[in-house]
Amino acid sequence: PKVKVLSRNEEAFTRERNSDTIKVFRNVNPSLHPFEKAREYTRALNATKWDKVFAKPFLGALDGHKDGVYSMSTLPTSLVSLVSGACDGEVRLWNIPSKKTIWSVQAHNKTVRGICPSADGEQILTCSADSTVKLWAVDQEAVVEEEMGIQPITTFMGESPFSGLDHHRKDPIFATSGQQVDLWDHHRTEPVHSFTWGADSIYTVKFSPVEMNICASAASDCNIVLYDIRTRTPIKKTVLMMTSNCICWNPMEAFNFTVANEDHKCYTFDMRKMQRALNVHEDHVSAVMSLDYSPTGEEFVTGSYDRTIRIFNAMDGHSREVYHTKRMQRLFAVKYARDNRYILSASDECNIRLWKARASEKIAPLLAREQNKTNYQNKLKEKYQYAPEIKRIARSQKLPKAIQSAKRLKHIVNESKTRKTSRKRAHSKPGAVPFVSAKNKRVRRTVD
């Protein structure tokens, strides 16, 4: 009879030094591992639960402002710097890790409505309701030490209050919004060009970071207008059902941008096909005041009048995470940090808060085996994300009672509207009450 004998070469599994990794032999034949999927599912379930157990997103607050903070901006040349503007006209430059102010100045007499860095990151532009735009140097250490007082490099005077501004990605050009969209040059005190297209006041203007000569604005008459600064003409206008408060371009998708709307939702558009939205992002129960894309373009964060911060995947309709605290009031500005790991929020109770972008992520440096374990768990969660139990745990969110009540009421109202439309359709001629997609419903018309 045949006898099977295990034969191994000792050199194949013996370490040469004590520091070498012990070699482990595994047979990956699926027939030898009948419970592999069950083990993977259990590990994915436990990893999802651990994410909820160890979720501690709040890191700290940046205290110092004496009035509500309405605008913020990070610097393109620094991961640790933040500029903020308050309702009393004060502008501060922060060091985020130390949570301390580097310098502060009483920049304006009224609310600071917009802050943005220059293309090289060495200067800051601020605009205010006092009809001025001021250019500041980021490096003010010599001035602070000598106690000479911080002074602006240049002051640009406007004819009406400003509501927002943004800088060109490369050229020394910036755009402001107010009664109209004005295009300015650093070396001229008067606007180079002004754009108007039938709006009383324009709330915000943003340059595209990819198509750098295209900018978009949102106005009080519910329109979104695209401009080309090369031809000095408006390109396209889309009119929504309600006003938009903020616009942000996707830094990786050249044609896509998202608007924060007064109807509690965000809409993602493709600038080439603005007859319908690419996606509708909903979960807030009050007006969305601000939004910002992550540097990777895969996610964006929103701040709302309902006192919550929500993080959305760019392709999903519902938020993956919601942040809130008892003391945090209405949010007017949110920003992603340049390293994609942190989120900054500014609210009207004078505070700037620092949050993790991933609530359960460990901040300390990881060992190689810890990083491998994290990657393995993420892959398992992605593989089993549609399993009912894992999906339920991952989507569960703890909300304040006021938001839960508003959410229930909103659900009842929407169900009532849907029921009324279906009954009207049932008692009308065929085709008289058409089915309208949610992506088309909020767009009134598009004008080229």
Side-chain angles (χ1 to χ4, degrees), residues 283-308:
D283 267 345
H284 283 293
V285 295
S286 190
V288 186
M289 304 303 296
S290 178
L291 68 90
D292 188 41
Y293 265 96
S294 67
T296 61
E298 296 178 354
E299 294 181 336
F300 65 88
V301 60
T302 60
S304 172
Y305 218 66
D306 63 9
R307 305 176 178 88
T308 62

Side-chain angles (χ1 to χ4, degrees), residues 414-428:
N414 289 338
E415 274 194 339
S416 176
K417 288 181 180 178
T418 304
R419 191 164 55 248
K420 181 178 179 181
T421 305
S422 62
R423 289 174 178 172
K424 188 177 180 181
R425 185 180 294 113
H427 293 83
S428 302

Side-chain angles (χ1 to χ4, degrees), residues 396-432:
S396 64
Q397 296 174 344
K398 300 295 183 182
L399 297 171
K401 287 185 179 179
I403 293 176
Q404 287 180 344
S405 301
K407 201 172 182 180
R408 282 195 293 268
L409 179 61
K410 191 177 177 182
H411 181 68
I412 293 169
V413 171
N414 289 338
E415 274 194 339
S416 176
K417 288 181 180 178
T418 304
R419 191 164 55 248
K420 181 178 179 181
T421 305
S422 62
R423 289 174 178 172
K424 188 177 180 181
R425 185 180 294 113
H427 293 83
S428 302
K429 291 181 180 180

